[in-house]
Amino acid sequence: MDTTEVARKWVWYGLEDLYFAFCIEFDPHKSYALFTEIMGLEKILKAYLLYKNGNKYSALNHKESQDVIECLAKKWGHSIKTMLKEVAKLQNNDELKRLKERNYDGYQGTDLVKAIEAGYMESRYPVSRPIYEQFKIKGVDIYQNPLESSGITKFIYEISGFILIQLKNDIDLGVINKDFMRVYGAREQTKRFINLMFNGNIDNYL
């Protein structure tokens, strides 16, 4: 199976998730938007990891390739922390580490990784120990909830964008760019999404 096509497919699904989340990110749908953002980030990370692990399935027939891809995706699960560690092993620079150490509207990236891990369940189900309990403001009985912050979306966009640039260095993502603009380019929300997700220039990422 063509590793480039595998990566493109996962990128497309991830990009659609991020765009859908952007379009519904208003009360009372914020929790659904957050979950979809997390899924978008997960799929983009898996696109990169599946491409880099292409030697494990590229020479197999279609059915065998699909089985290996599914096994790899299940192995990484839904753990953004695990996938970021796998990505870091494949990088020759400290850019990912720098992004995780950056502040995003009051939250360090490393804390937002924890929040994303918790948010996978907490955005959909009642939980006994919500993540905000780990973010008590010192000296007062008040908590901050990273799952409700603008910082978590900024972090997801930042990491997703970084991964897309890494992939773009290896493969042509232009077809995804064209398809995205063909399908969604005329929508009012698209320009705002591109400004936030792609810093105003989708061509730098896809």
Side-chain angles (χ1 to χ4, degrees), residues 34 37-38 104 107 112 115-116 146-157:
L34 175 61
E37 281 180 349
I38 293 171
Y104 298 86
Y107 296 91
L112 291 173
I116 290 169
L147 299 182
E148 296 178 353
S149 74
S150 57
I152 197 165
T153 295
K154 290 180 180 179
F155 180 70
I156 287 172
Y157 284 0

Side-chain angles (χ1 to χ4, degrees), residues 11 17 21 26 32 35 48 52-53 63 116 133 139 159 165:
V11 166
D17 280 348
F26 58 89
Y32 299 101
F35 174 70
Y48 180 80
K52 289 297 187 179
N53 284 271
K63 178 63 169 63
I116 290 169
E133 292 181 355
I159 297 297
I165 289 172

